[in-house]
Amino acid sequence: MHSWPSPSIPSVPGPAVPIRLYDTSDEAVKPVSPGDVATMYVCGITPYDATHLGHAATYVTFDLINRVFRDNGHDVHYVQNITDVDDPLFERATRDGIDWRDLGARETDLFREDMTALRVLAPRDYIGAVESIDEVVEAVGKLLANGSAYVVDDAQFPDVYFSVDATTQFGYESGYDAETMAKFFAERGGDPDRPGKRNKLDALLWRAARDGEPSWDSPMGPGRPGWHIECSAIALNRLGMAFDVQGGGSDLIFPHHEFSAAHAEALTGERRFARHYVHTGMIGLDGEKMSKSLGNLVLVSKLRAAGVDPNAVRLGLLSQHYRADRMWTDPVLVEGERRLAIWRRAAKSTSGPDAADTVARLRQHLSDDLDTPKALAAVDAWAADAILGIGSSATAPQVIIAAVDALLGVDIAPVS
Ligand code: ZN
């Protein structure tokens, strides 16, 4: 699939700082040590509804990682999927009386517009589930052949499942105990009580065709892919094993990322799918969890339509740490708008304090597990001084504009 246009990235003077990130699996902040090309896979949307601020927070977070990699001189191979074959898509399409393909195309277009407005750098590979069916079929065939998967004893619906004990390290990604795994598996799309499964946690790899559902031919019979294997196949075929960062919201820690890793590890016999598993906190609204069922989603497209500057949305999202579960409230947006206005006012100054120290602090804080509150505070301090007429560096405003653009993805350049 085509992705979206990336904004250009200005160069920023001074030394870059290699990034350290919290790894869910090792429960520690660790250096990320990419080669020339940093490799990152972030799970994409299921396109049945518009982008809300929880999605925006996740993709803006990984955009910062992408930007810090580039600042450090790495090329970045960034891969993202779109789960354009899944139950929620069919349910919504049926409810609204439209074709699931049209619904998916419409919401994917809106997602591209939202990402473009939020100045998120586009992935190099933006891959739909439909266009990766052959890759999934091949992977499921291999898992069946090497004994990691089995067909349930059901002549009518011969679904294929992955054995949770196919790898010895299963569970290392989330670190969850059996009780927590069982709870999240049931809550997040798993089917513990499917008759014929050998273990309640075994995950669906290939769903045999049902009436009224799309299906594709395969050696396993007609059917469609499970969710976790979609990400395993797409990532493995483009980035290989042991890529640098696997990312998503914290609700993907289990079962999705645990099984995506286990599938890939069972396919290759290698021990670790991603070197870093990085997860963003959940965004709530005014004290409640933001969710489709509560009907309290704040949509990026609605904010845009109301005339909100997407740069202010970005600053609102970055004002708290990415790993914290946090609330989106009117004051968060007002604060983002206020900060954007101050930074833009400072950027118009003909001079300001020397920028080198501010840029160094900005880099230091971002590379320290994306400490965005401190990174924003460093720019706040420079802006406050510049507005007061402190400092005589004539080049400083241009350097700050470039650094805020390149590293935070926020555009404060005066409109010419
Ligand atoms: Zn995924």
Side-chain angles (χ1 to χ4, degrees):
M1 283 204 187
H2 69 283
S3 53
W4 55 88
S6 285
S8 62
I9 309 172
S11 65
V12 183
V17 180
I19 193 166
R20 296 161 52 84
L21 289 169
Y22 184 84
D23 175 44
T24 302
S25 174
D26 291 348
E27 298 180 69
V29 176
K30 306 186 307 181
V32 185
S33 310
D36 291 344
V37 181
T39 45
M40 179 162 76
Y41 184 95
V42 178
C43 292
I45 59 163
T46 298
Y48 70 101
D49 209 341
T51 320
H52 58 72
L53 283 179
H55 298 129
T58 294
Y59 299 116
V60 165
T61 296
F62 290 96
D63 188 55
L64 294 189
I65 297 171
N66 193 339
R67 287 168 182 275
V68 174
F69 281 150
R70 288 167 195 269
D71 189 47
N72 277 275
H74 300 288
D75 194 3
V76 180
H77 191 168
Y78 176 21
V79 181
Q80 190 180 129
N81 68 310
I82 317 119
T83 305
D84 56 2
V85 180
D86 205 2
D87 297 327
L89 192 64
F90 307 145
E91 287 160 15
R92 180 62 62 93
T94 302
R95 189 198 79 178
D96 294 352
I98 60 172
D99 187 283
W100 62 275
R101 281 159 292 220
D102 295 338
L103 174 64
R106 186 182 81 197
E107 297 304 332
T108 303
D109 276 343
L110 186 59
F111 179 74
R112 291 186 185 101
E113 285 173 26
D114 289 339
M115 291 298 107
T116 306
L118 287 167
R119 308 186 84 240
V120 171
L121 300 172
R124 183 190 298 182
D125 296 314
Y126 190 45
I127 310 291
V130 171
E131 61 190 2
S132 60
I133 299 253
D134 289 350
E135 298 177 42
V136 169
V137 167
E138 187 189 354
V140 175
K142 279 187 191 166
L143 289 170
L144 280 166
N146 75 13
S148 302
Y150 61 93
V151 182
V152 289
D153 187 14
D154 179 338
Q156 194 184 6
F157 302 121
D159 302 329
V160 183
Y161 280 85
F162 178 81
S163 295
V164 71
D165 54 6
T167 62
T168 54
Q169 67 271 28
F170 184 86
Y172 81 90
E173 183 270 339
S174 64
Y176 292 159
D177 59 21
E179 193 184 341
T180 308
M181 286 187 189
K183 175 180 180 300
F184 286 144
F185 188 80
E187 285 177 9
R188 298 173 179 168
D191 52 358
D193 300 320
R194 161 65 159 122
K197 281 170 61 169
R198 293 175 188 168
N199 185 309
K200 281 176 179 292
L201 281 185
D202 290 349
L204 181 71
L205 289 170
W206 186 255
R207 178 173 160 90
R210 264 66 165 181
D211 275 351
E213 293 183 9
S215 62
W216 289 263
D217 286 334
S218 83
M220 296 83 71
R224 63 181 166 97
W227 177 31
H228 319 309
I229 190 68
E230 171 194 335
C231 287
S232 314
I234 292 173
L236 201 50
N237 289 338
R238 285 158 190 82
L239 303 176
M241 288 296 278
F243 58 91
D244 292 308
V245 172
Q246 155 80 310
S250 60
D251 54 345
L252 298 188
I253 293 173
F254 192 90
H256 185 55
H257 284 175
E258 192 79 64
F259 276 103
S260 294
H263 295 342
E265 289 155 12
L267 277 166
T268 59
E270 293 174 36
R271 274 193 77 85
R272 193 150 164 153
F273 185 43
R275 296 206 282 180
H276 252 84
Y277 297 96
V278 178
H279 295 100
T280 57
M282 296 287 108
I283 304 291
L285 176 68
D286 296 333
E288 289 214 74
K289 185 180 180 323
M290 202 181 277
S291 76
K292 296 209 167 81
S293 51
L294 289 173
N296 65 348
L297 300 180
V298 177
L299 304 180
V300 174
S301 46
K302 288 266 167 62
L303 291 175
R304 289 199 285 124
V308 173
D309 189 323
N311 288 286
V313 176
R314 244 182 118 104
L315 285 173
L317 292 169
L318 299 179
S319 65
Q320 291 172 274
H321 194 262
Y322 78 96
R323 282 197 280 125
D325 290 334
R326 53 209 198 272
M327 286 298 148
W328 183 263
T329 57
D330 279 342
V332 171
L333 178 58
V334 168
E335 176 71 11
E337 289 176 322
R338 191 190 63 87
R339 178 174 266 134
L340 181 65
I342 291 171
W343 288 12
R344 282 186 170 154
R345 192 172 149 210
K348 282 188 205 158
S349 307
T350 50
S351 65
D354 185 75
D357 177 58
T358 301
V359 171
R361 286 168 59 205
L362 180 56
R363 283 180 163 131
Q364 201 68 49
H365 294 314
L366 281 180
S367 291
D368 179 16
D369 195 29
L370 300 179
D371 191 342
T372 53
K374 284 187 184 163
L376 299 194
V379 181
D380 287 342
W382 181 90
D385 283 354
I387 287 170
L388 288 173
I390 297 169
S392 57
S393 166
T395 55
Q398 286 308 318
V399 173
I400 295 293
I401 289 168
V404 165
D405 183 347
L407 297 166
L408 295 174
V410 174
D411 179 10
I412 58 168
V415 182
S416 53

